[in-house]
Amino acid sequence: MDAAHGDPRPATRPGDACRTRVVLDIVGDKWSLLVVRNLRNGPRRFTELKRAIDGISQRMLTVTLRSLERDGILTRTVHSVMPPRVSYELTEMGITLREATAPLLDWSVAHLARIDDARAAYDARTDTPVAP
């Protein structure tokens, strides 16, 4: 059923399946999901996000925020105060992305120690093939 018949999903077009790579680029990006996760409790300022996301550079945070804003995942609000203040907040679509990816982020936290152990065991093997 399509939108004309009460289905809220838009009709798919040829090539839509291939275009899902655009969405997978967001989900697969190293920093995007961490930004989305850190906006789960409401608006945050740039410096708050920078402090909360270990290892992200100022430049990469800027690039990531602009990309997420462009994709409609978050909004950037400039507050008219002195000095000017900017905050970032998830859009409705961003909230649904956070809800969809929260289990993946939770899984990664829960299994991080096991992944580290598996990597150490793999790296310690003498029969590990050398990458070309």
Side-chain angles (χ1 to χ4, degrees), residues 4 10-11 20 23-24 26 40 43 57 65 68 71 76 81 88-89 95 101 116 120 124 126:
T20 60
V23 175
L24 294 176
I26 297 169
R40 70 186 175 273
S57 68
L65 289 168
L68 291 170
D71 291 337
R76 177 180 184 267
V81 294
Y88 299 89
E89 184 173 17
I95 291 169
T101 58
D116 288 341
T126 57

Side-chain angles (χ1 to χ4, degrees), residues 17-73:
C18 291
R19 292 195 65 239
T20 60
R21 288 188 314 253
V22 173
V23 175
L24 294 176
D25 284 345
I26 297 169
V27 176
D29 175 68
K30 181 177 183 176
W31 301 112
S32 292
L33 291 186
L34 294 175
V35 168
V36 168
R37 184 176 196 185
N38 276 281
L39 291 173
R40 70 186 175 273
N41 294 324
R44 305 274 307 263
R45 295 177 68 177
F46 184 94
T47 54
E48 293 173 312
L49 291 169
K50 175 87 172 67
R51 273 193 302 267
I53 302 171
D54 187 41
I56 194 166
S57 68
Q58 182 167 333
R59 179 189 176 286
M60 188 49 63
L61 180 56
T62 299
V63 167
T64 301
L65 289 168
R66 286 180 182 164
S67 176
L68 291 170
E69 182 180 12
R70 181 176 183 255
D71 291 337
I73 304 299

Side-chain angles (χ1 to χ4, degrees), residues 115-131:
I115 291 168
D116 288 341
D117 292 344
R119 287 178 175 177
Y122 181 88
D123 292 345
R125 292 187 342 212
T126 57
D127 64 339
T128 304
V130 177

